[in-house]
Amino acid sequence: MSDIWKEYKFGDLVYFPPKISPPKNKVIPFIDMELINPSYRYVTNEISKKFSGSASKFENNDVLFARITPSLENRKIAQAKINGIGFGSTEFFVLRAKKSLCDQNYLYYLAKTDYIVENAINSFVGASGRQRADDKFIKRLKVKIPPLPTQRKIAAILSAYDDLIENNNKRISILENTAEQIYKEWFLRFRFPGYKKTKFIKGIPEGWEVKKVKDVVNRKTFGKIYRESDLESEGSVIVIDQSVKEYFGFYEGKPEHLASEDDPYILFGDHSCKMLIMTEPFSLSENVIPIKAKDNIPLYFLFYLIKSLVTTTEYKRHWTELSTKEVFIPSEYLRIEFNEIVKPLLIQINSYKKIIRNLSKTRDFLLPRFLSGKLSVENLDIKFPPSMEEIDA
């Protein structure tokens, strides 16, 4: 390396935590631990609250670093994407780079390295099950970093992958929202094609049936249940856990379930109540229920029929209880028409998810190599992505 990498104590590179004074008696962004997705760089608030003194405090682009088990082992690390000052879980360490030494974007990727995370895990103190990383230990860790121009180049390359991931997630959100709104309009608000000419009996369209969920689903066997010890760093078969929107891992071998676009499966997380349609071969981790449709119930319609029962916090149910709930089954032509409309949307969603998976794999492959100096970037002409320009503004 011709550019000189210098060694620092981690605590000398960052404000840990930065000094922040949230406005009193004002509603500001709030972020809890559950909002952080380890696969994505940014976390934004879904709600705002009046500031509570017992909380972590942060500003836009500060790094939120989980300090408690198992969130740290699950790599819950993200950059806050908020307006102004926010607050959140007391279980966050908040990190902000000292601008004269470290780039804020580079700091995010440095915090995600095995070196920082595994040392933080090794510093755990406290009672079993509620152990927390020791901030004093982490501050004493020695790290080698390149000059600021090289830091910015490294961050720019990795940010380009994360920006593409975020853009594809936005596309997914638009498609998911479109399909859900069509379902609600047709089958919850009863404004389906031809509703004005339809006779309603006691508020229900004529010809619609009332059935229990278990009467319209075909619950499939799990096959082998894969655990973390079964997974491989390189593998072609995807393993899904109960978070279902994210892959659990991969292995090389034969998949337990041969899903495809023409023969998809519904996956239901029994504890998380999250759902997914799989259109590629897969295997399962614990607490994931594979489902097919019975008789003449189209699968994509069945997906939203079940999903409509678990969209609110107060009505989340495990599968055993959920399967006994009654649902309205519309006439066959409506089921088929809805299925034909949303099928291409969900196929496109799965296509974007595959792109995200490949981008994530490449980013995760490059990250340790760039931050260790094994891959040199000093002679590369790097175009900085918009996300870095926004942070530097």
Side-chain angles (χ1 to χ4, degrees), residues 2-18:
S2 60
D3 54 342
I4 305 301
W5 289 50
K6 293 183 179 180
E7 185 174 86
Y8 298 88
K9 289 181 179 178
F10 188 72
D12 292 335
L13 294 174
V14 300
Y15 298 104
F16 184 178

Side-chain angles (χ1 to χ4, degrees), residues 19 33 163 248 250 263 296 299 317 338:
K19 293 182 179 178
M33 185 70 72
D163 289 352
F248 180 57
F250 300 86
D263 188 22
N296 59 346
L299 186 129
R317 297 287 186 266
F338 174 82

Side-chain angles (χ1 to χ4, degrees), residues 298 300-301 334-345:
Y300 293 94
F301 166 78
L334 281 178
R335 301 195 299 262
I336 293 173
E337 187 169 349
F338 174 82
N339 200 74
E340 292 305 306
I341 290 173
V342 301
K343 179 179 178 179
L345 302 182

Side-chain angles (χ1 to χ4, degrees), residues 13 16 57 69 87 154 179 200 229 238 257 269 271 336 355 364 370 390:
L13 294 174
F16 184 178
K57 303 179 286 287
T69 184
F87 71 111
I154 290 171
F200 284 71
S229 58
I238 188 171
H257 306 280
H271 292 186
I336 293 173
I355 293 171
D364 294 345
F370 282 141
E390 291 168 8

Side-chain angles (χ1 to χ4, degrees), residues 166-224:
E166 184 177 18
N167 287 337
N168 280 294
N169 274 315
K170 288 178 180 177
R171 295 184 181 113
I172 289 172
S173 294
I174 292 170
L175 292 171
E176 287 179 335
N177 185 62
T178 299
E180 287 181 7
Q181 289 305 316
I182 294 172
Y183 181 86
K184 290 177 181 178
E185 184 73 0
W186 285 24
F187 305 120
L188 299 184
R189 304 184 188 108
F190 297 145
R191 297 176 66 87
F192 49 85
Y195 76 95
K196 290 183 178 179
K197 298 179 181 179
T198 299
K199 183 178 179 182
F200 284 71
I201 302 173
K202 295 183 178 179
I204 307 301
E206 187 177 28
W208 289 31
E209 298 179 88
V210 177
K211 292 187 177 182
K212 291 183 177 180
V213 171
K214 64 182 179 181
D215 295 329
V216 293
V217 303
N218 181 7
R219 181 170 172 171
K220 310 299 287 187
T221 57
F222 296 105
K224 177 182 175 180

Side-chain angles (χ1 to χ4, degrees), residues 115-265:
Y115 175 72
I116 297 295
V117 173
E118 290 174 4
N119 271 290
I121 292 170
N122 289 336
S123 77
F124 274 155
V125 294
S128 177
R130 297 295 294 174
Q131 292 185 310
R132 294 173 174 85
D134 183 347
D135 59 336
K136 295 183 179 63
F137 179 88
I138 298 171
K139 288 176 182 179
R140 291 195 298 268
L141 292 175
K142 292 182 179 180
V143 295
K144 276 190 174 181
I145 62 170
L148 279 167
T150 301
Q151 291 180 36
R152 285 176 51 77
K153 285 185 176 182
I154 290 171
I157 295 171
L158 297 173
S159 294
Y161 284 94
D162 279 318
D163 289 352
L164 287 171
I165 289 170
E166 184 177 18
N167 287 337
N168 280 294
N169 274 315
K170 288 178 180 177
R171 295 184 181 113
I172 289 172
S173 294
I174 292 170
L175 292 171
E176 287 179 335
N177 185 62
T178 299
E180 287 181 7
Q181 289 305 316
I182 294 172
Y183 181 86
K184 290 177 181 178
E185 184 73 0
W186 285 24
F187 305 120
L188 299 184
R189 304 184 188 108
F190 297 145
R191 297 176 66 87
F192 49 85
Y195 76 95
K196 290 183 178 179
K197 298 179 181 179
T198 299
K199 183 178 179 182
F200 284 71
I201 302 173
K202 295 183 178 179
I204 307 301
E206 187 177 28
W208 289 31
E209 298 179 88
V210 177
K211 292 187 177 182
K212 291 183 177 180
V213 171
K214 64 182 179 181
D215 295 329
V216 293
V217 303
N218 181 7
R219 181 170 172 171
K220 310 299 287 187
T221 57
F222 296 105
K224 177 182 175 180
I225 298 298
Y226 285 78
R227 294 175 171 81
E228 193 167 358
S229 58
D230 298 314
L231 305 181
E232 304 167 4
S233 57
E234 296 294 331
S236 58
V237 179
I238 188 171
V239 180
I240 302 294
D241 69 1
Q242 64 173 315
S243 70
V244 303
K245 288 207 170 184
E246 304 306 322
Y247 58 86
F248 180 57
F250 300 86
Y251 69 93
E252 199 59 55
K254 183 179 179 181
E256 297 292 312
H257 306 280
L258 298 176
S260 67
E261 289 183 0
D262 294 325
D263 188 22
Y265 277 72

Side-chain angles (χ1 to χ4, degrees), residues 263-278:
D263 188 22
Y265 277 72
I266 295 172
L267 302 184
F268 183 90
D270 193 34
H271 292 186
S272 66
C273 294
K274 293 181 179 179
M275 297 177 62
L276 175 71
I277 287 183
M278 282 300 292

Side-chain angles (χ1 to χ4, degrees), residues 1-61:
M1 293 176 290
S2 60
D3 54 342
I4 305 301
W5 289 50
K6 293 183 179 180
E7 185 174 86
Y8 298 88
K9 289 181 179 178
F10 188 72
D12 292 335
L13 294 174
V14 300
Y15 298 104
F16 184 178
K19 293 182 179 178
I20 301 172
S21 299
K24 294 181 179 179
N25 299 319
K26 285 193 175 181
V27 173
I28 59 175
F30 175 82
I31 293 176
D32 207 358
M33 185 70 72
E34 66 178 19
L35 288 181
I36 291 190
N37 184 323
S39 299
Y40 306 146
R41 175 178 176 178
Y42 298 109
V43 60
T44 190
N45 63 297
E46 293 182 354
I47 61 172
S48 296
K49 296 181 179 180
K50 282 191 176 181
F51 172 69
S52 167
S54 177
S56 59
K57 303 179 286 287
F58 44 83
E59 293 181 357
N60 191 41
N61 295 313

